[in-house]
Amino acid sequence: MSASQGPTLRELAVQALSSVEHGYDLLAPKFDLTPYRTPRPVLDAVTHTLARLGPFGRGLDLCCGTGAGLDVLRAVCRERVTGVDFSAGMLTVGRERAAGDVDWIRADARALPFRDAFDLVVSFGAFGHFLPGERPGLFAQVRSVLRPGGRFAFPVAAPARPGTLGYWTLLGFDTAMRVRNALWRPRFVMYYRDFRLADVRTELVRAGFRVETYALEELGRRPDGSPRCRLVVATAR
């Protein structure tokens, strides 16, 4: 991946001053050349864990972007897989680069056009685009598209410890986004510090899920022995 092939600082600035949807439309042609694409080690670790829980029937990649998560679904699902996103630009790029049979559907994750259609829903890196107050409705939407016993799976990284570089980097980014949204319209919602595992677990249970977590051992452990990343697997009751 060459930095010269990725988006320029000017292109990233234009994206950041757009709405979430239009910003991703603009970024789509170069998205896979940015650090925002889910890294292959994460995709492989999730695939390995889900393979032990499957196989599954139909799969949905929620907020699929250009389709990185669809590789996971193809590996663990026996039936056709679907990617859904609200950015037409991201879907176009994904469709052009896709291998195999995939249904690409433009829709808002908060108003999904399916019911009882899938056995597995995955999502990667999208939840920072939803305000905490929107999550209960989002999880209810996911529950509504799953068949009984279907699973909703997504990785969650361990929070950076206070005082570390990762902590200050995330805090600085969050602060910059809040200042930007206070001064500029349309808003660009991307607040990853609000996505806390304890809160998310409670919200999933209220939406009708039984929740388990699995350490993604391939991604290592922190000095205290805790996993650097966990896979949340919520089963529809």
Side-chain angles (χ1 to χ4, degrees):
M1 185 182 298
S2 170
S4 64
Q5 296 174 323
T8 65
L9 288 175
R10 180 183 182 280
E11 288 172 329
L12 289 173
V14 171
Q15 182 217 9
L17 294 175
S18 305
S19 66
V20 178
E21 180 180 352
H22 185 54
Y24 276 107
D25 286 345
L26 294 172
L27 186 61
K30 297 183 178 181
F31 179 80
D32 289 344
L33 300 173
T34 72
Y36 308 129
R37 188 182 195 274
T38 304
R40 173 54 56 184
V42 174
L43 297 172
D44 290 344
V46 171
T47 299
H48 183 254
T49 299
L50 289 177
R52 300 199 307 267
L53 301 175
F56 302 91
R58 292 188 63 196
L60 172 69
D61 185 359
L62 185 73
C63 305
C64 66
T66 57
L70 289 165
D71 290 341
V72 176
L73 293 179
R74 290 193 194 97
V76 301
C77 293
R78 296 172 296 188
E79 301 176 27
R80 196 173 181 91
V81 299
T82 300
V84 64
D85 201 281
F86 75 162
S87 167
M90 298 287 273
L91 292 172
T92 297
V93 171
R95 189 180 294 112
E96 291 171 349
R97 299 178 182 175
D101 292 334
V102 177
D103 294 320
W104 299 88
I105 296 178
R106 186 183 182 195
D108 191 322
R110 293 162 292 198
L112 294 170
F114 319 102
R115 284 295 179 273
D116 302 322
F118 299 99
D119 303 287
L120 175 64
V121 175
V122 298
S123 193
F124 296 89
F127 297 119
H129 295 306
F130 299 93
L131 296 171
E134 296 177 304
R135 285 202 307 257
L138 174 67
F139 293 158
Q141 282 291 299
V142 175
R143 175 63 186 85
S144 73
V145 307
L146 282 168
R147 295 165 179 162
R151 285 171 165 147
F152 177 32
F154 51 90
V156 176
R161 298 196 180 283
T164 63
L165 176 61
Y167 175 86
W168 291 115
T169 299
L170 193 59
L171 178 61
F173 181 84
D174 182 273
T175 301
M177 292 303 298
R178 293 183 186 279
V179 171
R180 176 253 187 248
N181 288 332
L183 300 175
W184 192 268
R185 291 292 184 274
R187 293 187 305 172
F188 195 102
V189 175
M190 189 183 286
Y191 301 138
Y192 284 98
R193 293 181 72 246
D194 288 331
F195 197 77
R196 301 182 180 91
L197 182 55
D199 297 335
V200 168
R201 183 191 291 271
T202 298
E203 291 161 358
L204 286 167
V205 169
R206 288 174 178 167
F209 290 98
R210 184 181 74 253
V211 182
E212 299 170 285
T213 61
Y214 298 83
L216 295 177
E217 297 291 356
E218 297 92 333
L219 302 179
R221 289 183 173 265
R222 304 202 293 187
D224 65 0
S226 61
R228 295 188 183 278
C229 191
R230 290 179 171 88
L231 183 68
V232 176
V233 180
T235 302
R237 295 198 300 256

